[in-house]
Amino acid sequence: MTITTTNVTDLYPTRGATEVATPRQDPVVWGSPDTPGPVSAGDLQSLDRDGFLAIDQLIGPDEVEVYARELERLTTDPAIRADERSIVEPQSKEIRSVFEVHKISEVFAKLVRDERVVGRARQILGSDVYVHQSRINVKPGFGASGFYWHSDFETWHAEDGLPNMRTISVSIALTENFDTNGGLMIMPGSHKTFLGCAGATPKDNYKKSLMMQDAGTPSDEGLTKMASEYGIKLFTGKAGSATWFDCNCMHGSGDNITPFPRSNVFIVFNSVENTAVEPFAAPIRRPEFIGARDFTPVK
């Protein structure tokens, strides 16, 4: 398949000389309000307004145990650790993330195909969907580092070539999210503004950014303005809870210095009508295990 940016308008300029805020050019909810699905009309309205949707229990306790055991198996397997899809903590050298987990593990592949999961993505995006990215994230206690403030779409647009904001993510908790163990934080409403970051993208930027964000990082001034306007929401919840959030939400998480681990499975669904072209602001594409080039719909 030939991927090109020919005749594709860049609606969201980024990685230039200065930081530039651009109003969102795309819908948040692409599906019709009348389209049947697991998301209620009220929740779709909340998603459109806030950019996220929290679900108290997407999967049950028995299922949580299955996925937690599989996470443990993958993160303790020497072959998985040696795989380039595994990202390790810079200091502890413990596994931080394992990417393309739905291709490595049939257990997580079944989760991706679960109608409670993919059905919501289809309803929100108004089309069939494919997995742009999947991973398990591990935040053990006593010092696991966080993820700095960022918009996923900024990276996926700049470095993976996603043209439009037609992408939705779900983070499913496999351990309890307390208000102290490095949980997800989102600025509600921030998804309506695209903050194009300053600075060029280095070649093979992903090798550094997956451990510590640099290119694509908003300025302190930009973040202060957004936080003052939108506020910050911290997500807590039992294992099995989930947070769906729009691709352009400004979000991040702090370090986990508590004894309580925080682990989750993270799945990114993109519309089959929004497939990747060449990167808009990077010299080369990221590897396919980070930004998929297989656009086969999830069935």
Side-chain angles (χ1 to χ4, degrees), residues 98-117:
V98 179
F99 280 80
E100 215 170 43
V101 71
H102 70 295
K103 292 190 175 182
I104 294 175
S105 163
E106 179 56 29
V107 172
F108 285 111
K110 288 180 180 178
L111 179 62
V112 166
R113 298 191 298 265
D114 191 309
E115 276 300 310
R116 292 171 296 178
V117 177

Side-chain angles (χ1 to χ4, degrees), residues 264-286:
N264 69 298
V265 54
F266 179 73
I267 306 163
V268 180
F269 293 102
N270 188 40
S271 169
V272 296
E273 299 172 9
N274 188 45
T275 53
V277 295
E278 288 297 338
F280 285 89
I284 59 172
R285 305 174 189 172
R286 297 195 299 175

